[in-house]
Amino acid sequence: MEDTEDMELGYDPLWDEQGRLRQGCTVGEALAWMTKFGGRTPGESVCINGVGYKIGRLLYGPERPAVADKPISRVYDGYYRQLNFSV
């Protein structure tokens, strides 16, 4: 996962300049950028392949799920701003 100190507001790891999903962006990279610049918090939930996780669990701690290091293949709209990814 990328060091959040090196992230920039002008670079979105999830979407490219044409508004397409950036190839190879991992769940962890996208969530780290979103918590730093996108108004998301570690306490919010995200759904990955139909399984719910807290953002903080995917970003921090020694028992991070392996899904945090997988590249995102699709982003879905969710209710009440919930993030939904397929990997």
Side-chain angles (χ1 to χ4, degrees):
M1 185 168 55
E2 215 177 280
D3 181 10
T4 58
E5 294 299 318
D6 296 335
M7 291 183 179
E8 296 180 26
L9 177 58
Y11 175 78
D12 182 341
L14 190 57
W15 304 107
D16 69 13
E17 293 76 19
Q18 286 78 38
R20 293 185 300 247
L21 184 64
R22 213 178 273 282
Q23 295 298 309
C25 178
T26 67
V27 170
E29 290 169 337
L31 294 176
W33 188 89
M34 289 178 180
T35 56
K36 185 165 183 172
F37 300 114
R40 299 292 179 156
T41 66
E44 289 183 61
S45 295
V46 61
C47 189
I48 302 167
N49 293 342
V51 178
Y53 299 90
K54 293 289 183 183
I55 292 174
R57 182 168 179 237
L58 293 165
L59 292 178
Y60 313 113
E63 296 183 23
R64 282 178 2 139
V67 73
D69 297 320
K70 296 195 182 272
I72 297 168
S73 64
R74 188 157 182 198
V75 178
Y76 298 89
D77 289 333
Y79 295 107
Y80 305 108
R81 290 188 47 209
Q82 181 179 12
L83 297 168
N84 293 284
F85 298 133
S86 286
V87 296

